[in-house]
């Protein structure tokens, strides 16, 4: 599914984020930048050990929730990996939505700063961090769409979704944005 926003596109695909050929692959990282399971583990495995070494060297104190840091792409087909730390879902009462929105905004700003035109995002915080997928999809897609409406640099933001349920949630939200 592809939708135009400004001069750029949002694309939804079902698949493996580690094989995407884009300028930036966004990793759903933890605050310690210590690697983990899910998307984080898959990206570290595919990228090779140099990314973990770079994270430890450049960001020994980790990364706060709602922010992101940059490394090289390692063995991936991307110039960079942005390690974005989304919030752990606690029921919605501790500003989780603002933190999730911030993680996406910072990644988009980093892309412009590093003259990147194409990004691949996972569904940040919806795995082990238990953020409800429908709510996360709304925040992610709205944040990206608003940025694309005003950006003259970004060409494509692809959401690479791991399972059919997550893809369906993102597709439903994106369809409602077109009405």
């Amino acid at each position: 599914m592809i939708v135009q926003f400004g001069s750029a596109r949002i694309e939804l695909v079902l698949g493996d984020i580690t094989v995407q050929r884009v300028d930036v692959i966004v990793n759903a990282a933890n605050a310690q930048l210590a690697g983990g399971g899910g998307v984080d583990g898959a990206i570290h495995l595919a990228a090779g050990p140099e990314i973990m070494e770079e994270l430890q060297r450049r960001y020994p104190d980790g990364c706060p929730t709602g922010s992101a840091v940059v490394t090289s792409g390692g063995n991936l087909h991307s110039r960079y990996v942005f390690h974005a730390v989304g919030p752990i879902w606690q029921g919605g009462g501790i500003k989780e939505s603002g933190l999730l929105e911030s993680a996406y905004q910072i990644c988009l700003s980093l892309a412009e700063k590093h003259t990147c035109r194409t990004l691949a995002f996972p569904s940040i915080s919806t795995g082990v961090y238990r953020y409800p997928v429908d709510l996360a999809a709304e925040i992610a897609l709205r944040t990206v769409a608003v940025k694309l409406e005003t950006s003259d640099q970004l060409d494509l933001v692809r959401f690479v979704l791991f399972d059919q349920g997550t893809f369906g949630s993102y597709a439903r939200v994106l369809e409602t944005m077109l009405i």
Side-chain angles (χ1 to χ4, degrees), residues 86-110:
I88 297 171
W89 181 253
Q90 307 273 329
I94 59 165
K95 300 184 173 110
E96 294 101 314
S97 62
L99 291 167
L100 186 58
E101 181 179 347
S102 176
Y104 282 100
Q105 286 174 335
I106 288 172
C107 287
L108 295 165
S109 294
L110 285 170

Side-chain angles (χ1 to χ4, degrees), residues 79-166:
R79 291 185 357 222
Y80 302 104
V81 175
F82 295 171
H83 304 266
V85 181
I88 297 171
W89 181 253
Q90 307 273 329
I94 59 165
K95 300 184 173 110
E96 294 101 314
S97 62
L99 291 167
L100 186 58
E101 181 179 347
S102 176
Y104 282 100
Q105 286 174 335
I106 288 172
C107 287
L108 295 165
S109 294
L110 285 170
E112 288 185 325
K113 178 180 177 185
H114 291 279
T115 62
C116 299
R117 302 189 77 75
T118 58
L119 293 88
F121 277 105
S123 182
I124 297 171
S125 285
T126 61
V128 296
Y129 283 10
R130 301 177 321 279
Y131 208 106
V133 176
D134 288 340
L135 298 177
E138 188 174 316
I139 291 165
L141 291 166
R142 178 179 35 81
T143 302
V144 169
V146 166
K147 180 65 170 182
L148 293 182
E149 290 286 353
T150 60
S151 177
D152 58 357
Q153 181 179 322
L154 300 172
D155 290 332
L156 170 70
V157 175
R158 179 179 297 147
F159 286 89
V160 183
L161 307 163
F162 185 71
D163 61 54
Q164 191 64 50
T166 304

Side-chain angles (χ1 to χ4, degrees), residues 49-67:
E50 72 183 65
I51 289 191
M52 182 58 73
E53 293 164 6
E54 187 176 348
L55 285 169
Q56 291 169 344
R57 184 179 71 254
R58 294 180 62 193
Y59 311 105
D61 297 327
C63 177
T65 301
S67 194

Side-chain angles (χ1 to χ4, degrees), residues 27-47:
N27 180 21
N30 56 56
Q32 297 77 33
L33 303 174
V39 169
D40 193 20
I43 287 173
H44 279 282
L45 183 63

Side-chain angles (χ1 to χ4, degrees), residues 17-38:
I17 198 166
T18 67
V19 299
Q20 302 302 306
R21 293 181 179 274
V22 291
D23 294 328
V24 176
I25 290 176
V26 177
N27 180 21
N30 56 56
Q32 297 77 33
L33 303 174

